[in-house]
Amino acid sequence: MRPDVLRRAADVKDVLFPVFTNGTLLDQTWAAFFNRHRNLVPILSIEGDREATDRRRGAGVYDGLLRAMAELKKRNVLFGASVTVSKENLMQTTGGAFADFLARQGCGVAFFVEYVPAERETECLAPDDADRALYLARLDALREETKLQVLAFPGDERLAGGCLAAGRGFFHINAAGGAEPCPFSPFSDVSVRERPLLEALRSPLFTRLRASGLLQSEHDGGCVLFTHEDEVREMLG
């Protein structure tokens, strides 16, 4: 949708950019573009088999993903998959058969992203504590069994001492330029359109969140900031 952004990123050769996409626009022309610019790594969103993917992302998306993967594989382009793991698809997507399927398509890395509800009425899809324990155990097994590089978000944050949002490891920039702690905590007190990036990292909200200990706290959901939304709002003022 924004080829100008991809072209600008392609010029920064010493930075590796994962490009998350649903793959619907990734045709031969774009596959050739990624072939020329190996610092851009397409990450294609897929939710399991055809039924699971099309149910979440729309009819025909799965077949489009297979065509995109074939174009990338033909050019030996490094690409990955992004899998949103919910109660509905946990067992399917964390199994060896699915990982082997991705590897056969040419996929080199898989991001497993734990489902975080954007609205309270979809909380039923979010993995609970028992699901999460099973999910992490199955991913650990996949790391031993598959050729894929397996990354879990936010599951792997446990190895980094807690949530990495608000500039501890990353932050999110929304479409209007607002710097937010993460995509699941859409609150901002500074815009990168008006302030330099380093100044945004020192924003009052980010500073309070990092100093509060909240990011390192225990929580019962995939996103600590989503769980503690009221506290984040209070810090925002």
Side-chain angles (χ1 to χ4, degrees), residues 33 36 41 54 57 69 76 88 90 94 111 124 132-133 139 153 162 168 171 179 187 193 197 213 224 231-232:
F33 175 84
R36 294 193 302 272
V41 181
D54 286 0
R57 299 192 170 270
M69 290 179 179
N76 199 29
E88 292 182 336
L90 189 156
T94 59
F111 289 80
C124 59
R132 193 170 298 110
L139 290 190
F153 178 81
R168 284 194 73 230
F171 68 97
F187 306 104
R193 299 179 67 176
L197 202 63
V224 64
E231 294 172 58
V232 178

Side-chain angles (χ1 to χ4, degrees), residues 145-162:
E145 300 167 0
T146 181
K147 297 178 180 179
L148 292 176
Q149 178 71 30
V150 174
L151 303 172
F153 178 81
D156 286 343
E157 289 181 346
R158 70 192 191 280
L159 305 175

Side-chain angles (χ1 to χ4, degrees), residues 5-20 32-43 76-79:
V5 174
L6 292 177
R7 294 189 182 104
R8 289 288 297 274
D11 290 338
V12 188
K13 300 298 185 183
D14 58 345
V15 177
L16 190 70
F17 293 96
V19 181
F20 287 80
F33 175 84
F34 286 116
N35 188 30
R36 294 193 302 272
H37 303 289
R38 294 301 182 107
N39 63 318
L40 305 182
V41 181
I43 309 294
N76 199 29
V77 173
L78 173 64
F79 71 92

Side-chain angles (χ1 to χ4, degrees), residues 5-208:
V5 174
L6 292 177
R7 294 189 182 104
R8 289 288 297 274
D11 290 338
V12 188
K13 300 298 185 183
D14 58 345
V15 177
L16 190 70
F17 293 96
V19 181
F20 287 80
T21 172
N22 64 14
T24 54
L25 298 182
L26 209 164
D27 55 12
Q28 292 182 3
T29 300
W30 276 113
F33 175 84
F34 286 116
N35 188 30
R36 294 193 302 272
H37 303 289
R38 294 301 182 107
N39 63 318
L40 305 182
V41 181
I43 309 294
L44 281 62
S45 297
I46 185 169
E47 313 303 343
D49 60 14
R50 178 179 283 102
E51 180 184 358
T53 299
D54 286 0
R55 181 173 62 247
R56 176 171 169 81
R57 299 192 170 270
V61 169
Y62 182 85
D63 289 336
L65 284 169
L66 295 189
R67 289 192 293 270
M69 290 179 179
E71 291 292 339
L72 295 169
K73 182 181 180 181
K74 182 168 61 177
R75 295 167 174 80
N76 199 29
V77 173
L78 173 64
F79 71 92
S82 173
V83 185
T84 303
V85 181
S86 69
K87 279 182 171 291
E88 292 182 336
N89 68 354
L90 189 156
M91 296 302 292
Q92 178 187 147
T93 57
T94 59
F98 181 64
D100 289 344
F101 162 78
L102 291 177
R104 289 196 303 272
Q105 308 314 304
C107 183
V109 58
F111 289 80
F112 289 87
V113 183
E114 187 176 327
Y115 179 82
V116 175
E119 300 173 340
R120 296 294 176 183
E121 52 266 33
T122 62
E123 287 184 345
C124 59
L125 295 175
D128 57 27
D129 287 343
D131 295 327
R132 193 170 298 110
L134 176 63
Y135 159 63
L136 294 175
R138 288 172 68 86
L139 290 190
D140 285 342
L142 277 185
R143 290 184 169 108
E144 298 294 328
E145 300 167 0
T146 181
K147 297 178 180 179
L148 292 176
Q149 178 71 30
V150 174
L151 303 172
F153 178 81
D156 286 343
E157 289 181 346
R158 70 192 191 280
L159 305 175
C163 177
L164 296 176
R168 284 194 73 230
F170 74 92
F171 68 97
H172 181 248
I173 300 172
N174 65 30
E180 302 172 341
C182 86
F184 305 117
S185 186
F187 306 104
S188 178
D189 61 353
V190 65
S191 171
V192 297
R193 299 179 67 176
E194 301 169 356
R195 297 285 188 275
L197 202 63
L198 291 178
E199 190 172 325
L201 283 167
R202 297 190 291 267
S203 80
L205 176 60
F206 284 13
T207 301
R208 289 169 188 151

